[in-house]
């Protein structure tokens, strides 16, 4: 095994990690621990729940991260009356053409901010969890793959 090559790759990853942190620090002051965990979530292909009192710039940090990595970002405000189709999308009937077409929901993005996830009904949380696990969404008869970097950051 060539250790020099592996060391170079690790240094390259570390450099990119630090570059991304510096970019986020242009907008976000402090919050080093949060920023590191968000970056690790994206790199590892995982998802993250963020707890904290209002006003700590959680939403701004996540949207800034999406911007820094040139990812499509959507924020979904969870409320007690939200429906699963409000996340995934639905079939829309076009009367003029007499057919159905797919209207994709906000989960079709790279980075999702699921704001106040604890307020959503169980069926909505289930739809979100399914998309997180399967990295795909079914609407009607069609199944759509989500972005390879699909990451959900949830707040409560």
């Amino acid at each position: 095994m060539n250790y020099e090559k592996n060391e170079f790759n690790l240094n390259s990853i570390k450099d990119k990690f630090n570059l991304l942190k510096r970019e986020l620090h242009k907008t976000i002051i402090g919050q080093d621990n949060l920023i590191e965990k968000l970056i690790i979530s994206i790199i590892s292909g995982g998802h993250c729940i963020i707890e904290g009192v209002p006003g700590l710039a959680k939403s701004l940090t996540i949207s800034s991260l999406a911007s820094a990595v040139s990812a499509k970002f959507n924020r979904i405000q969870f409320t007690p009356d939200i429906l699963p189709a409000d996340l995934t999308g639905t079939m829309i009937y076009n009367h003029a053409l007499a057919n159905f077409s797919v209207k994709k929901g906000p989960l079709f993005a790279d980075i999702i901010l699921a704001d106040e996830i604890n307020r959503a009904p169980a069926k909505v949380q289930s739809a979100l969890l399914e998309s997180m696990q399967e990295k795909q969404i079914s609407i009607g008869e069609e199944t759509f793959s989500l972005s390879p970097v699909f990451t959900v950051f949830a707040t409560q």
Side-chain angles (χ1 to χ4, degrees), residues 3-47:
Y3 290 105
E4 290 178 19
K5 184 176 182 182
N6 289 339
E7 184 178 318
F8 174 76
N9 288 338
L10 290 176
N11 286 336
S12 175
I13 292 168
K14 184 179 177 183
D15 291 343
K16 289 176 183 175
F17 186 89
N18 289 329
L19 179 64
L20 186 52
K21 278 177 50 178
R22 281 193 303 276
E23 184 65 28
L24 289 172
H25 282 299
K26 291 178 182 176
T27 306
I28 306 300
I29 306 300
Q31 301 290 349
D32 291 333
N33 191 30
L34 174 62
I35 289 171
E36 288 179 6
K37 288 180 180 174
L38 296 178
I39 295 170
I40 290 169
S41 291
I42 289 177
I43 292 171
S44 67
H47 307 282

Side-chain angles (χ1 to χ4, degrees), residues 44-83:
S44 67
H47 307 282
C48 187
I49 189 156
I50 304 160
E51 295 177 321
V53 297
L56 294 180
K58 296 180 293 287
S59 298
L60 179 61
T61 304
I62 295 166
S63 65
S64 296
L65 173 62
S67 178
V69 297
S70 300
K72 183 178 179 195
F73 171 76
N74 276 334
R75 177 184 174 272
I76 305 167
Q77 179 68 46
F78 284 77
T79 60
D81 62 343
I82 194 169
L83 300 172

